[in-house]
Structure formats: C-alpha cells, structure tokens
Amino acid sequence: MEHSLEEKALDLLLTALKDRGLVKAGGKQRTDSTRVLAAVRDLNRLELAGETLRAALETLACVAPDWLTDALPVREWAERYGPRTDSWHPPASKAKRAEMALVYGRDGFALLEAVHSPAAPVWLRDLPALQILRTVWMQNYHRTVTEAGTEVKRRESEDLPPGRLRLASPYDTDARYGLKQGSWWTGYKVHISETCDDPAPDPADGEPAPRIITNIATTDATVTDAEMTEPIHQMLAARDLLPAEHFLDSGYPSAELIVAVKRNFGVALVTPVLLNSSPQARAGAGFDRTAFTIDWDKRQAVCPRGSTSTWWSPASQRGTPAIVVKFDRQTCQACPVRDQCTRSRTGGRSLSLQPRERQEALDQARAEQTSEQWRTKYGTRAGIEGTIHQAVAVTGMRRTRYRGLPKTHLEHAFSAVALNLLRLDAWWNGHPLDRTRTGHLVRLDLSLTASPEVGAALSKGLADPGGCRSDCGARTIASA
C-alpha cells in the first residue's frame, strides 16, 4: 500500500488474460456497487462520544500512565470509561441520555485541555487517539465561554458537519455512515465491473469466454454512484480495457456524464435515465417538453400551436448550467389549449433545458428506453447482481476484514483476483459455476420431458435414497 500496489495482482492477471485473448477492450461490460460493512461496531452519537473518549484514555494509560495519574482522577474516570460501550446499555430516559452526552462532552474537553497544557509532554497531542478525540469533539460539541463560566453543548442535527466528513468510529477513521435503498450502514462501497459479451451465435466458434472482473473500486459509504462513473472509466482506460458499451443502473448516469463519457472515452452508457418530471409528463396528458420544437441555432422554441418563444436565457439551476425559455404571456392567455400546457394563471409557458449536447443526449436516451428492444438489451445488466452475490458468498465481501480504506481496497482487489481464478478454473475444466438447487418434484418433471439419457440419469438419482438431496438434480443435469 505504501507504493500504491494494491491492484498489482489484478493488473498482472488481466495482462496475462489480454495476451491470451480472454479479455480485451471494446465489447460490453457492466458495473454495479454494493455496501461493505466496516470491521467496527455501529455507534450512535452517544456511543461514539463515550467510546472515542475511552479509546483516548486507554492510549494515554498505556503510553503515559504517570502523567495521566497526575492530570486526571483516574479512579473516577475508570469507573465511567473503563467498560466498553457495548458491554452495558445506555439509560432509557431521553433526559438521562442527554445528561450523559454532556458529561462526556465536559470530560472530553477537560482531557484535551490537560493534554494541551504547558506541563504536558508535547508529543501527547500528536497521538492518533487524541487527534481523533479532538476531531470527534469538534464535530459533535461546541463550547461557549461567558462571564458565568464555560458551557458545553451538544450540536444539534442541523449543526453537524456533512456525512462525508463526519467520523463514525474512533477505530476506523475512513468508515462513514451510508444510505442506499433505505438501508443504513457504517463502512464503504465497492464497485465491480465485469465483461458481459454475448456468446458467439455459432456454437462451432467455441465456448464463450468467462465473465472476467476488469475493475474494482472502493470508496467510503457517502460517495454516490454518479461520482464514480468517470473514475471507473479512467481506471478501465489505464488498463486499456474500456468497453464499447457499458451497462449501468440509474444511479450512475446523468446527461452530463453520458456526454462526457462518450466524448472522453468513446463509451456508450446503456442505462436508464430519469424521466421527464414536469406535471404534464407525470400526468401523461397535455404538452410536456417533447411536444415543443427546439431551434438551437435560432435560440428559440416553437409550441405545438406554432407560437414562438420570446425569451431564451442561460441560467444556473442547483449549480447546473441550464437554459430558461419563456413564451409571451398574452399569447399563452389567449391560447385555447392553455389548460393542457401550463398551470400558471398569469404568466406564459416556460421550459427548462440543459445545454444542447446534454439535452439531445437526454432526449435520445429517454426515447430509446421506452422501446421493448432496449429493455431486452438492458437485461444484460442484471447479471452483475449474480457477481455481487458470488463476491459476498465466496469472498465475504459484504464485511471487510480490515480497518481503513486502503486495506479494504486491497482486500477487494484480492477478492476480484480470486473470483477471476475460480471462473477461469470452471471454464477450463467445464464445470458449471451455478449450483442451483432443484427439488425432487421439479427433477421428476424434468425427467419426464428431458432426453432419454438425461431422463434415465434423473430417474436413477430419484430412486437412489443415498443420493436424495435437494441439489443433486442440478449436479445430475450439469454432468449430463
């Protein structure tokens, strides 16, 4: 890790596979992400404060016991911070929990003051546990000094730093709180990319190459999928393994990314985009934006009734470049189909457009994803779910074994190598990777409809009491 060689094993394997023609640039790939639980316990804010302070005291008791004895009431604090926070239950009362949080806060500030006092050894304040204590206290508490004295208060939810900056554990400073599809966790996210080329139409051309994992990317839990779209393509480009088509779910793309990835990498993103969210589009009635003709060169729009816009102005909406188009108020008020076009009672119809290249790419993507042909093609993406399942079941990727992002990524890179080797072994030896369990009733039905050879093998398996297991049918079919 000190020399940035976390992915060296994966790079060497992919290079060897490229030399043998088993993986190459172009073709199709698919990518998806899944959550990774950190190798630390989930802590709420009260537990985080107590455990962070306890970890700092444990460190000081180990490296500077004499100083700690003189600086703090060790016996009193040992009763309060000796046990780990997961060995006892916090008070059920909300008021008592709030008071406990303030006690933690005051004690934490007292310890920090003692460590930064002139009488304390300077090197104490540089200890990682003390640096973490200082950061956690800055993020969760604030202190006000008045004539009456010093008042410690706990920060309210709206006063907390962004989740990307907020520490979730004193033992893993890279882990963050994450949310995906309504599920919260503490830890990381991993993005897995693999090949998914179609098998050769002629069986005589040989067995299709196995699905090969071409990239693995690990982030903290707060990084969105869209933020990783370009970095993933940069990693694939560095390996000379950029696909021609990249299948992604709706969390990865935006109009800007669809254009940028095509322009910078020559890769077409096959992914659903968000549909038009205008009231007309949601209702499926009236004139949504697609009913208007946009003349980009003349910088104007024409409505379904033939009226031309009178206002075209670049703008910024939520930090994103946009174009606002407006129609004349008097023209819209006199229009007989006004109710199908705008809900404004006094103004005219207005449109919000993205810059031309992005808007045209977005319109094309929206039009394509409504066709049955596109849906059938996009079905290729679903296979990445099986890869994630294999990674979780075989390598235990759901929970990291190590603390810290670099070590977690190293583990994921080795997991990708292991999965590739398992797939290559199965492919070279003709062993199926799937171990689908088939019940006895289903196997009986298969034996009645299969070829005589397969049917005989299935019937033999059904009649063998010693072989009566829920997954033996799958193995019999595969071997036959």
Side-chain angles (χ1 to χ4, degrees):
M1 292 183 294
E2 294 179 359
H3 302 283
S4 301
L5 297 176
E6 298 96 331
E7 299 183 6
K8 187 65 175 179
L10 180 60
D11 290 337
L12 290 173
L13 176 60
L14 291 175
T15 299
L17 294 179
K18 280 196 295 182
D19 294 340
R20 289 164 174 77
L22 293 178
V23 64
K24 60 184 178 179
K28 300 178 180 180
Q29 291 189 35
R30 54 196 177 197
T31 297
D32 201 2
S33 67
T34 188
R35 65 186 183 274
V36 178
L37 307 181
V40 294
R41 181 173 174 269
D42 289 338
L43 301 173
N44 57 38
R45 288 183 61 194
L46 178 64
E47 293 170 331
L48 174 63
E51 191 61 28
T52 302
L53 183 51
R54 195 192 75 85
L57 291 169
E58 286 289 311
T59 300
L60 290 172
C62 200
V63 301
D66 295 336
W67 176 86
L68 186 61
T69 301
D70 297 334
L72 298 173
V74 172
R75 175 163 297 181
E76 176 186 347
W77 283 39
E79 294 179 358
R80 189 179 302 160
Y81 301 110
R84 294 179 62 94
T85 56
D86 59 355
S87 64
W88 53 273
H89 295 287
S93 167
K94 185 176 180 180
K96 289 183 178 180
R97 289 199 304 271
E99 177 58 30
M100 178 176 288
L102 293 179
V103 170
Y104 288 165
R106 288 190 285 267
D107 288 349
F109 280 119
L111 177 58
L112 290 171
E113 283 185 351
V115 168
H116 286 79
S117 67
V122 176
W123 56 269
L124 289 181
R125 63 193 67 173
D126 296 327
L127 292 171
L130 271 299
Q131 293 292 332
I132 294 171
L133 174 67
R134 182 173 180 271
T135 301
V136 171
W137 253 240
M138 288 178 61
Q139 294 179 349
N140 290 274
Y141 293 96
H142 60 82
R143 187 168 54 168
T144 305
V145 180
T146 63
E147 295 180 356
T150 302
E151 183 181 12
V152 175
K153 289 186 178 181
R154 197 183 189 197
R155 293 187 184 274
E156 300 297 333
S157 298
E158 60 273 10
D159 194 29
L160 293 173
R164 183 165 298 183
L165 302 176
R166 190 156 24 117
L167 298 188
S169 171
Y171 305 115
D172 189 344
T173 56
D174 293 332
R176 294 292 183 269
Y177 299 113
L179 173 64
K180 183 175 183 179
Q181 298 176 347
S183 176
W184 286 93
W185 79 98
T186 301
Y188 306 93
K189 286 173 70 174
V190 60
H191 301 257
I192 304 175
S193 303
E194 70 171 359
T195 58
C196 57
D197 293 312
D198 296 327
D202 186 359
D205 294 338
E207 291 290 329
R211 311 297 192 199
I212 298 298
I213 295 176
T214 56
N215 190 72
I216 203 87
T218 310
T219 69
D220 70 69
T222 63
V223 179
T224 64
D225 291 350
E227 292 178 89
M228 290 302 296
T229 302
E230 279 205 270
I232 286 172
H233 287 88
Q234 291 169 357
M235 298 174 198
L236 290 171
R239 293 190 170 104
D240 192 23
L241 288 176
L242 281 171
E245 293 182 315
H246 201 167
F247 292 77
L248 306 166
D249 67 20
S250 59
Y252 286 92
S254 66
E256 179 182 3
L257 288 170
I258 291 174
V259 172
V261 170
K262 185 65 175 178
R263 180 180 62 244
N264 299 333
F265 303 102
V267 177
L269 299 185
V270 183
T271 173
V273 296
L274 296 179
L275 299 177
N276 191 338
S277 59
S278 67
Q280 295 84 1
R282 292 198 305 268
F287 305 119
D288 63 11
R289 201 210 58 73
T290 58
F292 292 75
T293 302
I294 308 299
D295 191 330
W296 296 95
D297 296 327
K298 294 183 179 180
R299 295 164 60 90
Q300 63 184 20
V302 179
C303 79
R305 297 281 296 179
S307 298
T308 303
S309 62
T310 58
W311 177 280
W312 180 288
S313 176
S316 178
Q317 297 179 342
R318 301 183 185 90
T320 303
I323 298 170
V324 177
V325 180
K326 294 182 180 180
F327 288 81
D328 181 67
R329 177 174 60 86
Q330 295 180 350
T331 302
C332 288
Q333 286 182 342
C335 181
V337 293
R338 173 184 174 84
D339 292 341
Q340 301 178 47
C341 191
T342 180
R343 296 186 298 178
S344 174
R345 297 183 179 181
T346 58
R349 175 66 185 265
S350 63
L351 302 173
S352 292
L353 306 175
Q354 298 198 38
R356 180 174 183 174
E357 194 175 12
R358 299 181 189 177
Q359 188 65 58
E360 290 178 344
L362 185 61
D363 291 343
Q364 180 181 356
R366 285 173 174 169
E368 288 177 348
Q369 70 187 34
T370 59
S371 68
E372 190 61 35
Q373 180 181 3
W374 185 92
R375 293 193 185 100
T376 302
K377 177 181 179 181
Y378 184 66
T380 300
R381 191 214 71 87
I384 193 66
E385 304 292 346
T387 297
I388 291 176
H389 172 76
Q390 185 187 26
V392 171
V394 175
T395 70
M397 193 176 284
R398 176 70 70 217
R399 181 180 291 276
T400 178
R401 297 171 174 84
Y402 308 102
R403 296 176 182 175
L405 183 59
K407 290 184 179 180
T408 298
H409 179 58
L410 176 64
E411 177 189 348
H412 292 164
F414 282 144
S415 296
V417 172
L419 293 176
N420 280 340
L421 292 176
L422 286 173
R423 293 177 173 195
L424 289 167
D425 175 73
W427 181 67
W428 279 322
N429 292 286
H431 296 158
L433 277 175
D434 61 322
R435 310 293 289 180
T436 306
R437 294 182 179 273
T438 306
H440 302 297
L441 181 61
V442 174
R443 285 192 287 121
L444 176 61
D445 178 61
L446 290 173
S447 69
L448 298 175
T449 57
S451 63
E453 295 81 5
V454 176
L458 286 169
S459 299
K460 182 179 179 181
L462 284 170
D464 180 11
C468 187
R469 299 193 320 190
S470 60
D471 60 345
C472 58
R475 280 194 277 270
T476 305
I477 294 175
S479 61

